[in-house]
Amino acid sequence: ALYCAKEETGHGKMRQFDDEMARRMSQRRARLDALEQAILNENLEVWLQPKIVLSTGAHVGFEALVRWRHDGDLIMPMEFISLAEESGLIIEIDRFMLRAATRAVAEWNARHGKDVSVSINLSGRHISSPDLEAHVASAIEMSGLRADQVTLELTESVEVRDWGAVSKKLDRLRALGCRLSLDDFGTGYSSLGYLRQMPADELKLDKSFVTDLETSAAAREIVASVVDIARTLDLGVVVEGIENLAQARIAEDLGCTVAQGYLFGRPAPAARCAPPGIPSDQLLELSPSHRPALQRQT
């Protein structure tokens, strides 16, 4: 009741604990218990979404995404990740994903004769964990992947209180051979501050920037400006949410190098994930030699 009152706008609000709050609390407790059991029993699933080089259409890697199948229903991350973060279970989910995703992509490479990489998200809580490096190193060693085939994604919205300690930890992860990616770039409140302090290898542009690429000159200018900054800092640029060829062409003309999105493949269970098939006519259209350069507008 206290938290509900605090969430309401204005001062002097009062809420009385009632049956509806009790019901929501009971549901939350039940889901939290079920999630804890799913983690202990490793009943979470690794799903993979392909990452593509825009200039050639070559498949270079996957992003690993967590899914939870509970009582026959597939539960998406948006329905349980916030609960896991509040409870601290997110660290155990991260550790599961490090082990399972590296193993899954190593097995996928062996099955398909490929040599692609995997990107795995890390939570803010896990970044601050004292044994993060040990868990990362152990997962890589057990999977058989090379360290340079593992990219650790850190969301820009992560709150970091001691950047000095975190930067040293991230430097040690890079020393292992891992790559670091700043995920959801541009959606937080301190993008440039993060760039200054975080030893990243790439920026990952949030899909919200892609939505208006075809119709908005301002959206294209923003993406082009971010790409210019990334080039200055010698960072790669990955763009999310590419759903059609027009978006892919514009993103590539603006300097984005790698992309993922429904155009190239939807997330799928690791065991059933096939190599992405891009029709030759699409590859031809993606090639910059077969289309005029995009004119940036001011």
Side-chain angles (χ1 to χ4, degrees):
L2 173 65
Y3 290 135
C4 287
K6 285 184 174 182
E7 288 172 0
E8 295 185 3
T9 57
H11 296 285
K13 298 291 183 181
M14 183 180 70
R15 289 295 301 272
Q16 182 175 352
F17 187 78
D18 56 24
D19 290 342
E20 176 58 22
M21 288 186 195
R23 185 188 65 80
R24 291 203 304 267
M25 280 189 63
S26 178
Q27 285 183 335
R28 183 183 185 279
R29 182 70 255 174
R31 174 154 288 193
L32 188 59
D33 289 342
L35 179 58
E36 187 170 11
Q37 286 301 312
I39 295 170
L40 288 173
N41 298 327
E42 295 200 345
N43 289 334
L44 301 176
E45 299 180 8
V46 175
W47 287 41
L48 301 175
Q49 184 174 28
K51 299 170 70 174
I52 301 296
V53 176
L54 281 168
S55 60
T56 64
H59 175 212
V60 292
F62 289 108
E63 179 179 4
L65 305 165
V66 64
R67 299 289 188 267
W68 176 25
R69 200 173 296 277
H70 177 57
D71 290 339
D73 296 324
L74 187 65
I75 303 177
M76 305 300 284
M78 66 183 67
E79 299 181 52
F80 66 89
I81 290 297
S82 60
L83 180 64
E85 288 175 342
E86 293 170 13
S87 64
L89 288 175
I90 190 66
I91 294 179
E92 296 305 321
I93 292 178
D94 278 3
R95 290 173 179 172
F96 166 81
M97 288 298 290
L98 281 169
R99 297 190 303 270
T102 51
R103 182 174 64 245
V105 172
E107 292 172 353
W108 190 94
N109 281 337
R111 189 161 61 246
H112 296 283
K114 302 291 185 180
D115 191 33
V116 303
S117 62
V118 61
S119 298
I120 305 167
N121 289 280
L122 290 182
S123 67
R125 281 178 177 259
H126 202 183
I127 294 170
S128 301
S129 173
D131 53 1
L132 170 62
E133 302 103 297
H135 282 282
V136 172
S138 175
I140 293 172
E141 182 179 1
M142 292 176 64
S143 71
L145 279 181
R146 301 190 312 271
D148 65 342
Q149 291 177 297
V150 178
T151 297
L152 304 173
E153 296 190 357
L154 297 87
T155 181
E156 184 192 355
S157 60
V158 165
E159 180 182 354
V160 176
R161 296 182 179 180
D162 187 352
W163 261 113
V166 169
S167 293
K168 291 178 182 178
K169 186 174 297 187
L170 297 180
D171 284 336
R172 290 194 292 270
L173 288 173
R174 292 183 77 193
L176 286 175
C178 301
R179 289 170 51 80
L180 299 180
S181 176
L182 186 52
D183 196 12
D184 297 335
F185 185 78
T187 60
Y189 62 87
S190 58
S191 305
L192 296 181
Y194 263 64
L195 276 183
R196 181 173 59 87
Q197 298 179 85
M198 179 181 164
D201 297 288
E202 70 177 26
L203 302 183
K204 198 168 186 183
L205 279 173
D206 186 73
K207 61 184 178 183
S208 60
F209 289 98
V210 174
T211 305
D212 299 326
L213 277 184
E214 297 170 78
T215 58
S216 170
R220 293 193 292 272
E221 281 299 322
I222 290 172
V223 171
S225 298
V226 172
V227 170
D228 287 343
I229 293 172
R231 283 175 173 167
T232 300
L233 298 174
D234 195 25
L235 303 175
V237 179
V238 179
V239 60
E240 298 180 285
I242 298 293
E243 296 188 353
N244 58 56
L245 275 171
Q247 292 173 343
R249 289 197 297 266
I250 293 171
E252 203 263 323
D253 280 332
L254 291 175
C256 300
T257 51
V258 177
Q260 63 186 84
Y262 289 173
L263 175 64
F264 309 114
R266 293 174 179 265
R272 302 204 306 268
C273 192
I278 304 177
S280 57
D281 58 336
Q282 289 189 8
L283 286 176
L284 188 65
E285 289 191 58
L286 279 173
S287 172
S289 63
H290 290 83
R291 51 186 165 82
L294 178 73
Q295 297 299 313
R296 287 178 58 177
Q297 301 180 30
T298 59

